[in-house]
Amino acid sequence: MLLALVVLSIVGYFVADAIIASKLDKFLKTKLPETIGMEYESIDINIWRGSAVMVRPKIVSKGGDTSKVSAEIELDAIIVDGFGYWNYFVNDNIHVESVQLRSPKLRYNHDKTIPENDRNNSSLNQLKQEIKVDRFNIQNGELTIRDRVTDSIVLHSEGVAANVMSILLDAASVKKPFPFSFEDYNLSFNDFFYSMGTYENLTISDAQIDHKKALFHQLKIFTKYSKTKLNQIISTERDHFDITMPSLVFEYQKFGYEQDSVFYFKSPKVIFEDAEMYIYRNKLIADDTTRKELYSKMLRDLKFDLTLSEVELKNATIVYSEKVNTDMQAGKISFTKLNAHLKNISNTYAAGENTTLDIDAIFMAKTPIKVHWEFDVNDVNDAFVFKADIGKLPAPDLNPFSQPNLKVLLEGELFHTYATISGNKNTSRVNMKAKYEDFKVDILDKEGEKKNKVLSAIANLFIKKSSDQADHGFRESFKDDIERDKTKSIFNFLWLNLKAGLVSIMTGNGNQ
């Protein structure tokens, strides 16, 4: 009798497995929405362990308003372990210990013509049950997003691996912008590509992300086209970028939705290691006359809440080239060994909590420069203070920029220069003083090669050759009501101030 009972139990167990597998198979073939199709090689059910293995599934999703495929995913296997039958049958809730996706390849066709609300309309919104997953795992994933109209790749990444712990979905959570909650996570990927728009791409060699740190290696932002090609396809001037960052780190980053409406991102510390920025602009192309905002307004107007308490740039390089004359090469200025400490890069601080930038760098190969820059994001007048301390600068070091762009050669030496610029979104004033010696200007001919002796002589009549005519060794200047050109960047505004101050020092009486 006992033996018969044991045999009956064993047979019943396998029969139950077969029945459940059959019912699940029937459900997947007949009960899924018309917009979702599914194929697979086999399903293996083990009710004793509460597990299910689906081998080589392929899921295809079509948009509700189109017959075209919107998403497609193929996997080696989907593995579910620790399904709580008691919780499901008694409490009508789903609790699973583990869900694994083996080698998923997800292809998504993005269609910008479909309204965002339509894309977000999901059957999840009808969820009545509570779903808990102790661990959700992805192994060796691949993600591709294409633009449906152009059939171009918008985003691609390989080697995607992820673990998300203690996931909870319920009727309340699925109505939120982030439809589920979780306690911990880690994510890694490699060979990341993202098309940032019409002109720039972003690539990342690999990344490792968890709640303590987000680490990105070999991050690059670059213009898709050569300088020549870019010039041919733009109607107004635009920078050509080549930016590389061997390492970018966000520490203890947090993100989500504040009050279920406003997205936020925060990190107490961000570190850029050895970044190199090469920027080229062709000024022979028509000016972009759109309004350029100051950084304070840019931060204030962000559509999400950003809080970066500290940002560090370590050993950065910035090279800016500008082509002004057709028959001459682009003028160039450079900053190397640049170290910067930025605080409160944010639009969430209260009024009076200033954003500050402290920068040390080498300007044009030899000259040490220190900058302190601060502003209050909450100030609608966009008031700012910019202070520069510029060390010994041989004037010929400026010739790689001044000769091709201004057709001017400079001689002499500036031993020390101080400048304080105070301004707002409309105007500014500059206090400046400089100690220099044997300063001279050579104005060149139209070809920028030979000295125009007559014009050079006239120009040098108005220039005080050395600052030692002043008792304390410095010549000083003060200029106010310097008007900002709102079609140009903040750096143009700073340059207008520095130029006005230098001209006043070298042509004025040397006192404020």
Side-chain angles (χ1 to χ4, degrees), residues 17-271:
D17 277 357
I19 291 173
I20 292 175
S22 176
K23 286 184 175 294
L24 180 58
D25 181 72
K26 183 178 180 181
F27 174 84
L28 294 174
K29 289 180 178 178
T30 63
K31 300 298 184 181
L32 290 176
E34 293 181 359
T35 56
I36 297 178
M38 178 177 250
E39 300 174 359
Y40 48 89
E41 288 185 3
S42 62
I43 296 178
D44 180 37
I45 301 290
N46 187 316
I47 60 173
W48 182 261
R49 293 185 306 172
S51 67
V53 179
M54 183 179 290
V55 178
R56 302 200 64 80
K58 178 179 179 180
I59 305 166
V60 176
S61 175
K62 297 179 180 179
D65 61 345
T66 176
S67 60
K68 297 180 180 179
V69 172
S70 60
E72 181 178 277
I73 181 169
E74 296 183 61
L75 309 94
D76 286 350
I78 299 176
I79 302 172
V80 178
D81 273 317
F83 180 81
Y85 287 100
W86 178 264
N87 201 38
Y88 177 66
F89 288 117
V90 175
N91 299 317
D92 195 30
N93 291 328
I94 296 174
H95 184 192
V96 179
E97 291 180 3
S98 172
V99 176
Q100 298 180 52
L101 306 185
R102 298 278 180 88
S103 300
K105 291 180 173 59
L106 173 61
R107 295 176 286 274
Y108 175 74
N109 296 310
H110 179 68
D111 192 338
K112 291 182 286 189
T113 64
I114 299 176
E116 193 69 30
N117 290 339
D118 290 352
R119 286 201 295 268
N120 291 336
N121 185 16
S122 168
S123 57
L124 274 180
N125 291 329
Q126 310 302 319
L127 181 69
K128 304 299 182 184
Q129 297 164 312
E130 179 183 87
I131 300 177
K132 291 182 179 179
V133 179
D134 294 342
R135 178 172 177 254
F136 179 81
N137 170 256
I138 296 175
Q139 300 175 19
N140 191 33
E142 182 177 318
L143 172 64
T144 303
I145 299 176
R146 305 186 77 93
D147 186 305
R148 186 190 296 254
V149 176
T150 63
D151 196 37
S152 60
I153 294 177
V154 176
L155 184 150
H156 179 78
S157 188
E158 299 179 3
V160 179
N163 287 289
V164 185
M165 314 302 290
S166 301
I167 297 173
L168 173 64
L169 294 87
D170 56 25
S173 71
V174 296
K175 292 180 172 58
K176 297 179 179 180
F178 220 85
F180 59 88
S181 63
F182 59 93
E183 291 185 3
D184 200 3
Y185 70 97
N186 59 69
L187 169 68
S188 62
F189 54 83
N190 54 53
D191 298 322
F192 180 88
F193 168 87
Y194 175 61
S195 174
M196 299 177 67
T198 305
Y199 300 102
E200 286 84 38
N201 289 335
L202 163 68
T203 62
I204 301 170
S205 68
D206 61 88
Q208 297 83 42
I209 304 168
D210 58 32
H211 73 280
K212 292 183 179 180
K213 182 182 293 186
L215 173 60
F216 303 90
H217 288 122
Q218 295 301 327
L219 186 149
K220 297 183 179 182
I221 299 173
F222 58 95
T223 300
K224 300 178 183 182
Y225 311 99
S226 68
K227 294 172 185 175
T228 302
K229 180 64 175 177
L230 181 66
N231 292 340
Q232 293 171 351
I233 63 177
I234 57 177
S235 57
T236 57
E237 62 183 8
R238 182 182 181 87
D239 288 337
H240 184 282
F241 291 101
D242 187 0
I243 302 171
T244 62
M245 290 174 246
S247 174
L248 170 60
V249 178
F250 293 87
E251 295 184 354
Y252 292 99
Q253 70 285 348
K254 293 183 179 179
F255 57 90
Y257 284 86
E258 199 73 44
Q259 299 177 344
D260 298 331
S261 59
V262 180
F263 181 78
Y264 69 86
F265 181 89
K266 59 178 67 175
S267 171
K269 193 165 189 178
V270 182
I271 303 171

Side-chain angles (χ1 to χ4, degrees), residues 149-410:
V149 176
T150 63
D151 196 37
S152 60
I153 294 177
V154 176
L155 184 150
H156 179 78
S157 188
E158 299 179 3
V160 179
N163 287 289
V164 185
M165 314 302 290
S166 301
I167 297 173
L168 173 64
L169 294 87
D170 56 25
S173 71
V174 296
K175 292 180 172 58
K176 297 179 179 180
F178 220 85
F180 59 88
S181 63
F182 59 93
E183 291 185 3
D184 200 3
Y185 70 97
N186 59 69
L187 169 68
S188 62
F189 54 83
N190 54 53
D191 298 322
F192 180 88
F193 168 87
Y194 175 61
S195 174
M196 299 177 67
T198 305
Y199 300 102
E200 286 84 38
N201 289 335
L202 163 68
T203 62
I204 301 170
S205 68
D206 61 88
Q208 297 83 42
I209 304 168
D210 58 32
H211 73 280
K212 292 183 179 180
K213 182 182 293 186
L215 173 60
F216 303 90
H217 288 122
Q218 295 301 327
L219 186 149
K220 297 183 179 182
I221 299 173
F222 58 95
T223 300
K224 300 178 183 182
Y225 311 99
S226 68
K227 294 172 185 175
T228 302
K229 180 64 175 177
L230 181 66
N231 292 340
Q232 293 171 351
I233 63 177
I234 57 177
S235 57
T236 57
E237 62 183 8
R238 182 182 181 87
D239 288 337
H240 184 282
F241 291 101
D242 187 0
I243 302 171
T244 62
M245 290 174 246
S247 174
L248 170 60
V249 178
F250 293 87
E251 295 184 354
Y252 292 99
Q253 70 285 348
K254 293 183 179 179
F255 57 90
Y257 284 86
E258 199 73 44
Q259 299 177 344
D260 298 331
S261 59
V262 180
F263 181 78
Y264 69 86
F265 181 89
K266 59 178 67 175
S267 171
K269 193 165 189 178
V270 182
I271 303 171
F272 296 83
E273 295 272 6
D274 300 316
E276 294 185 1
M277 302 175 60
Y278 295 90
I279 305 170
Y280 170 85
R281 175 166 289 203
N282 188 346
K283 297 294 290 181
L284 299 171
I285 296 174
D287 287 344
D288 175 8
T289 57
T290 59
R291 182 185 176 96
K292 313 299 188 300
E293 304 295 356
L294 302 186
Y295 288 133
S296 48
K297 181 168 173 56
M298 290 183 189
L299 282 169
R300 190 167 61 248
D301 289 350
L302 285 176
K303 302 301 182 184
F304 66 98
D305 287 349
L306 176 68
T307 309
L308 304 179
S309 302
E310 292 185 56
V311 178
E312 286 193 18
L313 278 74
K314 296 182 178 181
N315 194 35
T317 296
I318 301 175
V319 178
Y320 175 74
S321 302
E322 186 175 275
K323 188 170 182 62
V324 174
N325 295 293
T326 306
D327 54 348
M328 301 191 72
Q329 65 183 2
K332 184 181 295 185
I333 58 174
S334 66
F335 297 88
T336 56
K337 298 181 181 179
L338 188 152
N339 295 284
H341 185 211
L342 290 63
K343 293 182 65 177
N344 303 340
I345 306 300
S346 171
N347 57 358
T348 63
Y349 288 106
E353 189 79 27
N354 283 0
T355 298
T356 61
L357 299 85
D358 289 287
I359 303 168
D360 288 281
I362 300 298
F363 175 61
M364 301 299 279
K366 300 190 196 107
T367 302
I369 181 172
K370 294 183 178 182
V371 168
H372 175 81
W373 189 356
E374 65 179 87
F375 51 82
D376 184 349
V377 170
N378 298 284
D379 182 358
V380 294
N381 292 314
D382 296 314
F384 68 90
V385 175
F386 179 95
K387 297 181 180 181
D389 178 343
I390 304 171
K392 186 176 181 180
L393 173 61
D397 284 359
L398 294 172
N399 289 338
F401 186 82
S402 67
Q403 182 176 3
N405 286 15
L406 306 176
K407 295 186 178 179
V408 168
L409 286 177
L410 304 174

